[in-house]
PDB file of all heavy atoms in Angstrom:
ATOM      1  N   VAL A  88      -6.097  11.098  22.927  1.00 98.00           N
ATOM      2  CA  VAL A  88      -4.698  10.836  22.834  1.00 98.00           C
ATOM      3  C   VAL A  88      -3.855  11.993  23.462  1.00 98.00           C
ATOM      4  O   VAL A  88      -2.935  11.841  24.287  1.00 98.00           O
ATOM      5  CB  VAL A  88      -4.300  10.616  21.405  1.00 98.00           C
ATOM      6  CG1 VAL A  88      -2.779  10.530  21.177  1.00 98.00           C
ATOM      7  CG2 VAL A  88      -5.031   9.408  20.808  1.00 98.00           C
ATOM      8  N   ALA A  89      -4.309  13.195  23.132  1.00 98.00           N
ATOM      9  CA  ALA A  89      -3.584  14.381  23.594  1.00 98.00           C
ATOM     10  C   ALA A  89      -3.657  14.557  25.093  1.00 98.00           C
ATOM     11  O   ALA A  89      -2.620  14.813  25.749  1.00 98.00           O
ATOM     12  CB  ALA A  89      -4.206  15.671  22.893  1.00 98.00           C
ATOM     13  N   ILE A  90      -4.867  14.444  25.667  1.00 98.00           N
ATOM     14  CA  ILE A  90      -4.987  14.601  27.208  1.00 98.00           C
ATOM     15  C   ILE A  90      -4.281  13.505  27.957  1.00 98.00           C
ATOM     16  O   ILE A  90      -3.577  13.778  28.897  1.00 98.00           O
ATOM     17  CB  ILE A  90      -6.484  14.791  27.631  1.00 98.00           C
ATOM     18  CG1 ILE A  90      -6.637  15.122  29.100  1.00 98.00           C
ATOM     19  CG2 ILE A  90      -7.318  13.519  27.438  1.00 98.00           C
ATOM     20  CD1 ILE A  90      -6.257  16.642  29.297  1.00 98.00           C
ATOM     21  N   GLN A  91      -4.365  12.268  27.412  1.00 98.00           N
ATOM     22  CA  GLN A  91      -3.656  11.147  28.123  1.00 98.00           C
ATOM     23  C   GLN A  91      -2.188  11.387  28.069  1.00 98.00           C
ATOM     24  O   GLN A  91      -1.383  11.278  29.018  1.00 98.00           O
ATOM     25  CB  GLN A  91      -4.039   9.863  27.478  1.00 98.00           C
ATOM     26  CG  GLN A  91      -5.303   9.312  27.916  1.00 98.00           C
ATOM     27  CD  GLN A  91      -5.469   7.813  27.721  1.00 98.00           C
ATOM     28  OE1 GLN A  91      -5.527   7.303  26.607  1.00 98.00           O
ATOM     29  NE2 GLN A  91      -5.550   7.094  28.762  1.00 98.00           N
ATOM     30  N   SER A  92      -1.633  11.828  26.878  1.00 98.00           N
ATOM     31  CA  SER A  92      -0.194  12.083  26.757  1.00 98.00           C
ATOM     32  C   SER A  92       0.209  13.225  27.656  1.00 98.00           C
ATOM     33  O   SER A  92       1.341  13.202  28.218  1.00 98.00           O
ATOM     34  CB  SER A  92       0.160  12.456  25.311  1.00 98.00           C
ATOM     35  OG  SER A  92      -0.307  11.388  24.476  1.00 98.00           O
ATOM     36  N   GLN A  93      -0.607  14.279  27.685  1.00 98.00           N
ATOM     37  CA  GLN A  93      -0.281  15.395  28.541  1.00 98.00           C
ATOM     38  C   GLN A  93      -0.243  15.066  29.990  1.00 98.00           C
ATOM     39  O   GLN A  93       0.668  15.477  30.709  1.00 98.00           O
ATOM     40  CB  GLN A  93      -1.314  16.548  28.279  1.00 98.00           C
ATOM     41  CG  GLN A  93      -1.144  17.787  29.140  1.00 98.00           C
ATOM     42  CD  GLN A  93      -1.955  18.981  28.556  1.00 98.00           C
ATOM     43  OE1 GLN A  93      -1.576  19.505  27.493  1.00 98.00           O
ATOM     44  NE2 GLN A  93      -2.971  19.395  29.297  1.00 98.00           N
ATOM     45  N   LEU A  94      -1.206  14.310  30.407  1.00 98.00           N
ATOM     46  CA  LEU A  94      -1.249  13.860  31.867  1.00 98.00           C
ATOM     47  C   LEU A  94      -0.036  13.034  32.235  1.00 98.00           C
ATOM     48  O   LEU A  94       0.314  12.979  33.414  1.00 98.00           O
ATOM     49  CB  LEU A  94      -2.547  13.063  32.147  1.00 98.00           C
ATOM     50  CG  LEU A  94      -3.817  13.928  32.173  1.00 98.00           C
ATOM     51  CD1 LEU A  94      -5.011  13.058  32.126  1.00 98.00           C
ATOM     52  CD2 LEU A  94      -3.857  14.870  33.341  1.00 98.00           C
ATOM     53  N   LEU A  95       0.563  12.349  31.287  1.00 98.00           N
ATOM     54  CA  LEU A  95       1.793  11.459  31.525  1.00 98.00           C
ATOM     55  C   LEU A  95       2.997  12.301  31.831  1.00 98.00           C
ATOM     56  O   LEU A  95       3.956  11.756  32.290  1.00 98.00           O
ATOM     57  CB  LEU A  95       2.022  10.590  30.258  1.00 98.00           C
ATOM     58  CG  LEU A  95       1.261   9.287  30.163  1.00 98.00           C
ATOM     59  CD1 LEU A  95       1.770   8.591  28.939  1.00 98.00           C
ATOM     60  CD2 LEU A  95       1.369   8.353  31.375  1.00 98.00           C
ATOM     61  N   GLU A  96       2.946  13.608  31.398  1.00 98.00           N
ATOM     62  CA  GLU A  96       4.120  14.457  31.584  1.00 98.00           C
ATOM     63  C   GLU A  96       5.400  13.866  31.031  1.00 98.00           C
ATOM     64  O   GLU A  96       6.377  13.607  31.711  1.00 98.00           O
ATOM     65  CB  GLU A  96       4.311  14.872  33.008  1.00 98.00           C
ATOM     66  CG  GLU A  96       3.203  15.654  33.584  1.00 98.00           C
ATOM     67  CD  GLU A  96       3.238  16.041  35.044  1.00 98.00           C
ATOM     68  OE1 GLU A  96       4.284  15.752  35.635  1.00 98.00           O
ATOM     69  OE2 GLU A  96       2.209  16.528  35.553  1.00 98.00           O
ATOM     70  N   VAL A  97       5.344  13.528  29.772  1.00 98.00           N
ATOM     71  CA  VAL A  97       6.356  12.737  29.107  1.00 98.00           C
ATOM     72  C   VAL A  97       7.672  13.424  28.931  1.00 98.00           C
ATOM     73  O   VAL A  97       7.706  14.698  28.530  1.00 98.00           O
ATOM     74  CB  VAL A  97       5.865  12.351  27.679  1.00 98.00           C
ATOM     75  CG1 VAL A  97       7.018  11.639  26.918  1.00 98.00           C
ATOM     76  CG2 VAL A  97       4.646  11.431  27.780  1.00 98.00           C
ATOM     77  N   ASN A  98       8.765  12.841  29.279  1.00 97.00           N
ATOM     78  CA  ASN A  98      10.125  13.405  29.024  1.00 97.00           C
ATOM     79  C   ASN A  98      10.814  12.380  28.029  1.00 97.00           C
ATOM     80  O   ASN A  98      10.660  11.219  28.083  1.00 97.00           O
ATOM     81  CB  ASN A  98      10.876  13.497  30.282  1.00 97.00           C
ATOM     82  CG  ASN A  98      10.352  14.518  31.232  1.00 97.00           C
ATOM     83  OD1 ASN A  98      10.188  15.704  30.937  1.00 97.00           O
ATOM     84  ND2 ASN A  98       9.895  14.003  32.423  1.00 97.00           N
ATOM     85  N   GLU A  99      11.738  13.055  27.193  1.00 97.00           N
ATOM     86  CA  GLU A  99      12.521  12.254  26.298  1.00 97.00           C
ATOM     87  C   GLU A  99      13.247  11.161  26.975  1.00 97.00           C
ATOM     88  O   GLU A  99      13.812  11.365  28.133  1.00 97.00           O
ATOM     89  CB  GLU A  99      13.418  13.171  25.506  1.00 97.00           C
ATOM     90  CG  GLU A  99      13.747  12.759  24.105  1.00 97.00           C
ATOM     91  CD  GLU A  99      14.585  13.791  23.431  1.00 97.00           C
ATOM     92  OE1 GLU A  99      14.337  14.954  23.472  1.00 97.00           O
ATOM     93  OE2 GLU A  99      15.575  13.327  22.790  1.00 97.00           O
ATOM     94  N   GLY A 100      13.295   9.947  26.424  1.00 98.00           N
ATOM     95  CA  GLY A 100      14.114   8.898  26.976  1.00 98.00           C
ATOM     96  C   GLY A 100      13.417   8.105  28.001  1.00 98.00           C
ATOM     97  O   GLY A 100      13.934   7.033  28.419  1.00 98.00           O
ATOM     98  N   GLU A 101      12.226   8.478  28.463  1.00 98.00           N
ATOM     99  CA  GLU A 101      11.548   7.677  29.416  1.00 98.00           C
ATOM    100  C   GLU A 101      11.048   6.331  28.913  1.00 98.00           C
ATOM    101  O   GLU A 101      10.778   6.177  27.693  1.00 98.00           O
ATOM    102  CB  GLU A 101      10.323   8.459  30.004  1.00 98.00           C
ATOM    103  CG  GLU A 101      10.765   9.523  31.029  1.00 98.00           C
ATOM    104  CD  GLU A 101       9.559  10.287  31.590  1.00 98.00           C
ATOM    105  OE1 GLU A 101       8.524  10.424  30.954  1.00 98.00           O
ATOM    106  OE2 GLU A 101       9.715  10.843  32.750  1.00 98.00           O
TER     107      GLU A 101
END
Side-chain angles (χ1 to χ4, degrees):
V88 172
I90 189 73
Q91 283 199 292
S92 304
Q93 176 162 293
L94 289 166
L95 277 182
E96 296 176 11
V97 175
N98 296 299
E99 211 176 312
E101 281 181 336

